[in-house]
Amino acid sequence: MITLNLGMTIVLAVLYSVGFYLLLQRSLMRILIGIVVLGHGANLLLQLVGGPPARAPVLGTAPPELFADPLPQALALTAIVITFAMTTYLLALGYRSWVLVGHDEVQDDVEDRRIAERERPEGSMSDDTADTGTDDDEDPGSAAASSEPAATGGRR
Amino acid sequence: MTTLVTLPVLLPILGAALTVIGSRSARLQRLIGIAVLAVVSAVAAVLLVVADRSGPIVAELGGWPAPVGIVLVADRLSALLLLISTLVTLAVLVYAIDQRITDYGRDTASTTFHPIFLLLSTGVSLAYLTGDLFSLFVAFEIMLAASYVLITRRTNASRIRSGMTYVIISLTSSLLFLTTIALVYAATGTVNLADLSARVAVLPPGLQTLLACMTIVTFGIKAAMVPLHFWLPDSYPNAPAPVTALFAGLLTKVGIYALLRTQTLVFPQDRPSALLLVLAALTMLVGALGALAQNDLNRLLSFLLVSHIGFMLFGLAVFDAAGVAGTALYVVHHITVQATLFLVSGLITRRTGTVAIDQMGGLAQRAPFLAVLFAVPALTLAGIPPTSGFVAKLALLQAGAAAGLSTALVAGVVIVASLLTLYAMVRVWIRVFWGTEKEPLPDADPADELVVGTAATSRPMYAATAGLVAVSLAIAAAAGPLSSVAGRAGVDLTDRLPYVTAVLR
Amino acid sequence: MTQQEQTPLTWNHWDEPEGEWMLPGECPVRTNRTLLLEMAARLLFPTVLVFSVYLLVVGHYAPGGGFAGGLVAGLAFVLRYIAGGGAEGAEIGTRLNLRPPLLVGLGLLLAVIAAFAPVAFGRPVLASAKYSADVPVLGHVDLVSSLVLDVGVYLLIIGVVLDLLRSLGSGIERDARESRP
């Protein structure tokens, strides 16, 4: 069983907490950075579980007993590649969202918003939420529901 | 024989490469896609027969033996699921191709759809066949990356929101999975599943619980287990019908398979797991009750999907050979029937021009064949005898009733959830197929693949759906042999020895 | 001064190269150009490509490999894209007349074939064999059959990077240009 040293544990804790904090944000860009940071955290953890620092596991450069465990390094390399690909994809998605909707905000579930609107007292309903409210009453199907995010997005 | 095990993984990649190269010719792409999936189905059938007859088949990639090398293992469970998954993928591909042909008047070539579709199939096959935790992660990533593209392809302003939710949730669960792998490796020094089964057993119990819980959370998100299900009913309905059918049929089941494999092989228990029992009961009830509140046909089906994930969890939670066998049988049945229902929903939507149930009506007169196509899988899902759903549920109930008081109680929940499913399905039937005929809504955006509009349907689309209905009927007809294969798979899983000895030799 | 900034600067000036320097060709607006970077890219591009091939070949026994080599080669294309001002970045691969997806497909195909090839010799999938030879000038050379797989990965990665440049680089620039009033 491998145990980590305190310094690295703190670094990991910071990376993970920053990553999860950013994941909880609204903007896709912040979420993207959150995923990148979280990915770094996970990859660092993978590196650390290989044991204490040692020589690079390249044949012929050092006697094999001085080598670090190569497996976690291979795993981390694969994971880095995957995280890299996902980052690119999210960037493209953010751009697409920006082109289509005008912002890259990640919005609530349609149902959630509908319930939130239903629970809001009548008097406090502002003008622009009122029209989506009536839309919902007429047609609770997804035709109205699916046009709703676009409308909300336009207003923001 | 060992080469055969690698074919379900490598052939779709080969197909993806060829479809990218031949991306100018739509005919060629179509041919390659269908041919590859047909061959993989045949290979899976052979694997199932051989694995059932002479035990797990192990392929050591590059000739490196486990636990150092990467191994692909086809045992009864994985071969069974591989076979049914590939058949469903094939049917969905036929449906998707013909939806495109009907929508655009002719077959259009695309650089993305076919390669991505085949890569998704690669990911699913690799997830079933892989023998180590890290390859499972890679398999999930291939599968999910392909699914991200499929769910956001040709997206529009109203649908990009749900795509984002899906991508972010999946990425989070992937990173959790990566963390889990790191912790497992730190604790044991291996990622090979067969090797892990011996090495985890000697760890302190607290550590074992932590690792088991992390795998449950990771795979629970992918399988849409309550309370980690919230993303599913929000994102699945916003993809084109074939894509939704594929996701609903396969992706969540791969999560269930991963749970099944890791929990039985690495974290075995000798009595029912209280945590999983509670989660299973919650999943069944929340999903079924959520379905009753829906007016959107696809959302309703998505909630039912969540509910039935609970059924599969229940079999696992019982943690004996009978329970696990019940889950295996249920997965086989549910992959087929859920995909069929989403395909039928796509056909209904194209007839009525809406997904809102209260705007449909009287379809039974106008489209009697469609009514039959809906009725059979709907009754199957609810578990009316003599359908495959009944067979699978009976296996689960028997396992639950035999394992003690707590499991018997949750078996009661299974019956309640089945009744709620039946109620939801009957409601859909009455509102959509009976009643006064309503005029179909006009096509809002003919270029939109998630058709809300009266687009035409084609014969192959019906044929693909009918094919899947036939498969589910065949499962019911072959209930005897299938149950016994599932039973032997259950014994294998709880026994662990056949798998471990085959891999580690 | 402002007048001068707005007129497109073509290659007809004192800095006109003797041959074609960059595949992207001329840059329409003066502000999009950095002669320094163009010069550097001109020098670095072939060097980096050679280095990427080196990484590809040594990959079996030393740090490197198809993925690393492909990324380095991809970086060379990125550098050229940036130096070229991006105006014609989409056409980066046109001299070769290769669409990036085709490169991806070919790479993938090569990799899968390399994975299957050992089966023909009765070895397990993905197995590799080593051939040693004494070449007169190079000395002792070890060739590993998994190099073919690496070449596949190398092509695939270059294809992916080129595709990224096309869709996320010049594609976005084109969108921005078209939406500008």
Side-chain angles (χ1 to χ4, degrees):
Chain A
M1 209 186 301
I2 305 276
T3 47
L4 305 183
N5 65 39
L6 186 63
M8 278 303 161
T9 319
I10 292 172
V11 172
L12 280 178
V14 170
L15 282 177
Y16 269 83
S17 43
V18 168
F20 274 113
Y21 176 78
L22 285 171
L23 264 188
L24 299 176
Q25 302 294 306
R26 280 278 177 188
S27 154
L28 189 65
M29 272 310 119
R30 293 185 182 202
I31 293 176
L32 170 68
I33 297 172
I35 284 176
V36 170
V37 172
L38 209 52
H40 287 337
N43 287 325
L44 181 63
L45 182 61
L46 265 178
Q47 285 286 299
L48 293 175
V49 301
R55 300 291 295 273
V58 177
L59 270 182
T61 57
E65 59 271 14
L66 293 183
F67 283 163
D69 187 354
L71 186 67
Q73 302 190 0
L75 302 189
L77 187 63
T78 315
I80 287 170
V81 173
I82 291 171
T83 329
F84 162 71
M86 290 305 135
T87 311
T88 330
Y89 172 77
L90 271 184
L91 268 176
L93 189 64
Y95 173 71
R96 194 96 194 101
S97 164
W98 185 72
V99 167
L100 285 172
V101 198
H103 61 82
D104 69 343
E105 213 156 274
V106 179
Q107 293 167 327
D108 288 336
D109 190 339
V110 182
E111 294 284 312
D112 283 354
R113 269 180 289 159
R114 210 173 283 157
I115 291 169
E117 268 162 28
R118 194 176 287 172
E119 290 193 341
R120 196 173 300 161
E122 285 299 314
S124 73
M125 250 191 191
S126 60
D127 282 346
D128 55 2
T129 48
D131 58 14
T132 43
T134 47
D135 269 351
D136 283 353
D137 290 344
E138 284 161 11
D139 173 23
S142 84
S146 60
S147 70
E148 197 183 318
T152 349
R155 275 196 299 277
R156 279 210 179 93
Chain B
M1 187 47 72
T2 56
T3 311
L4 218 52
V5 185
T6 61
L7 288 184
V9 180
L10 288 179
L11 272 187
I13 301 185
L14 186 69
L18 291 176
T19 46
V20 174
I21 293 173
S23 63
R24 292 267 162 87
S25 159
R27 269 179 72 94
L28 186 68
Q29 284 190 321
R30 198 171 50 184
L31 202 71
I32 292 170
I34 292 177
V36 161
L37 289 176
V39 172
V40 173
S41 311
V43 169
V46 173
L47 285 179
L48 177 60
V49 171
V50 175
D52 190 33
R53 203 170 285 165
S54 55
I57 316 159
V58 181
E60 293 161 346
L61 295 185
W64 299 95
V68 179
I70 296 173
V71 287
L72 298 181
V73 190
D75 65 349
R76 290 189 178 103
L77 178 69
S78 45
L80 186 62
L81 296 188
L82 184 66
L83 174 61
I84 199 75
S85 299
T86 321
L87 283 178
V88 169
T89 316
L90 182 60
V92 170
L93 180 63
V94 171
Y95 184 103
I97 289 171
D98 281 286
Q99 177 170 341
R100 293 172 61 80
I101 296 179
T102 341
D103 283 357
Y104 300 114
R106 62 186 175 80
D107 207 349
T108 49
S110 134
T111 39
T112 48
F113 180 77
H114 284 275
I116 294 292
F117 198 91
L118 288 172
L119 281 182
L120 189 112
S121 172
T122 301
V124 172
S125 306
L126 182 59
Y128 287 142
L129 292 175
T130 182
D132 72 75
L133 212 51
F134 194 79
S135 299
L136 188 61
F137 170 74
V138 175
F140 269 121
E141 287 311 304
I142 297 175
M143 187 177 87
L144 290 175
S147 76
Y148 301 154
V149 178
L150 285 180
I151 207 168
T152 53
R153 208 174 73 92
R154 306 220 175 150
T155 190
N156 59 20
S158 60
R159 292 211 307 270
I160 197 160
R161 177 194 62 81
S162 59
M164 274 189 197
T165 318
Y166 174 73
V167 173
I168 293 166
I169 297 290
S170 306
L171 277 176
T172 312
S173 88
S174 298
L175 288 171
L176 273 179
F177 192 5
L178 200 58
T179 311
T180 313
I181 291 173
L183 293 180
V184 167
Y185 191 84
T188 60
T190 181
V191 286
N192 185 288
L193 286 172
D195 202 16
L196 275 175
S197 74
R199 295 212 199 173
V200 166
V202 295
L203 292 178
L207 194 53
Q208 282 190 36
T209 314
L210 173 82
L211 295 179
C213 283
M214 286 201 69
T215 52
I216 290 177
V217 170
T218 308
F219 299 134
I221 296 178
K222 309 214 195 242
M225 167 182 85
V226 172
L228 305 167
H229 69 290
F230 50 90
W231 55 271
L232 190 144
D234 187 34
S235 56
Y236 277 17
N238 288 310
V243 172
T244 316
L246 192 66
F247 287 13
L250 299 187
L251 300 200
T252 47
K253 305 310 179 303
V254 175
I256 288 286
Y257 168 81
L259 265 179
L260 205 57
R261 184 63 85 194
T262 52
Q263 299 308 305
T264 53
L265 190 61
V266 184
F267 308 104
Q269 299 193 0
D270 42 11
R271 59 201 162 84
S273 150
L275 172 72
L276 282 176
L277 275 180
V278 172
L279 288 176
L282 268 178
T283 309
M284 283 187 265
L285 287 179
V286 170
L289 292 176
L292 292 182
Q294 299 304 316
N295 186 43
D296 176 333
L297 184 56
N298 284 332
R299 280 184 83 93
L300 185 144
L301 290 176
S302 303
F303 269 104
L304 283 182
L305 167 62
V306 172
S307 169
H308 286 249
I309 292 296
F311 288 59
M312 296 166 223
L313 279 179
F314 168 63
L316 172 61
V318 174
F319 254 113
D320 61 5
V324 174
T327 298
L329 202 56
Y330 205 91
V331 173
V332 170
H333 137 74
H334 195 254
I335 286 178
T336 333
V337 77
Q338 193 74 43
T340 320
L341 277 172
F342 273 108
L343 288 185
V344 174
S345 156
L347 291 173
I348 293 177
T349 308
R350 291 169 83 85
R351 277 260 176 189
T352 58
T354 175
V355 284
I357 293 174
D358 58 3
Q359 297 190 355
M360 307 176 186
L363 258 186
Q365 279 108 46
R366 266 197 300 142
F369 185 55
L370 190 57
V372 175
L373 280 187
F374 177 79
V376 176
L379 293 179
T380 311
L381 190 69
I384 304 291
T387 58
S388 61
F390 173 72
V391 180
K393 260 173 208 150
L394 190 66
L396 283 179
L397 288 177
Q398 281 174 338
L405 184 63
S406 57
T407 55
L409 270 177
V410 183
V413 179
V414 168
I415 297 175
V416 173
S418 303
L419 288 177
L420 288 175
T421 306
L422 184 62
Y423 175 55
M425 280 309 180
V426 168
R427 250 171 43 130
V428 172
W429 174 263
I430 291 175
R431 293 201 188 165
V432 175
F433 290 96
W434 283 353
T436 51
E437 251 183 77
K438 286 189 181 152
E439 274 306 300
L441 298 183
D443 199 346
D445 178 8
D448 195 346
E449 271 186 60
L450 176 72
V451 174
V452 172
T454 41
T457 48
S458 71
R459 215 173 274 269
M461 285 165 76
Y462 279 98
T465 318
L468 280 186
V469 171
V471 169
S472 82
L473 290 178
I475 293 175
L482 262 179
S483 303
S484 57
V485 169
R488 288 193 291 272
V491 174
D492 278 359
L493 282 177
T494 42
D495 190 22
R496 306 199 286 155
L497 223 60
Y499 188 93
V500 173
T501 44
V503 172
L504 294 181
R505 280 195 294 173
Chain C
M1 189 64 196
T2 44
Q3 184 73 31
Q4 203 183 0
E5 260 176 14
Q6 276 168 10
T7 51
L9 189 68
T10 52
W11 282 116
N12 307 325
H13 288 250
W14 55 270
D15 57 349
E16 186 180 9
E18 284 172 24
E20 202 175 342
W21 276 48
M22 310 286 297
L23 275 189
E26 63 184 63
C27 296
V29 185
R30 184 186 186 185
T31 46
N32 281 353
R33 287 187 56 189
T34 353
L35 192 64
L36 210 61
L37 192 57
E38 275 175 33
M39 190 65 201
R42 168 84 173 143
L43 287 176
L44 282 178
F45 183 73
T47 325
V48 175
L49 278 189
V50 169
F51 178 60
S52 77
V53 174
Y54 165 76
L55 282 180
L56 167 69
V57 176
V58 301
H60 197 73
Y61 289 111
F67 183 75
L71 269 189
V72 169
L75 282 178
F77 283 101
V78 172
L79 181 67
R80 195 165 72 164
Y81 165 72
I82 293 173
E88 306 293 327
E91 321 305 329
I92 241 165
T94 44
R95 168 85 49 102
L96 292 165
N97 204 9
L98 261 181
R99 292 172 305 127
L102 192 66
L103 214 53
V104 173
L106 281 177
L108 207 53
L109 186 66
L110 201 59
V112 178
I113 289 174
F116 271 130
V119 177
F121 300 97
R123 307 275 317 278
V125 171
L126 278 169
S128 58
K130 197 171 99 173
Y131 308 100
S132 297
D134 285 307
V135 184
V137 185
L138 298 171
H140 187 74
V141 176
D142 285 335
L143 267 185
V144 184
S145 66
S146 61
L147 184 66
V148 182
L149 187 105
D150 266 345
V151 172
V153 175
Y154 180 84
L155 289 179
L156 193 150
I157 298 294
I158 294 181
V160 167
V161 173
L162 286 181
D163 212 13
L164 279 181
L165 283 182
R166 192 182 61 165
S167 49
L168 286 183
S170 48
I172 287 182
E173 281 178 40
R174 196 179 51 239
D175 286 355
R177 251 202 325 280
E178 278 165 8
S179 63
R180 205 177 291 152

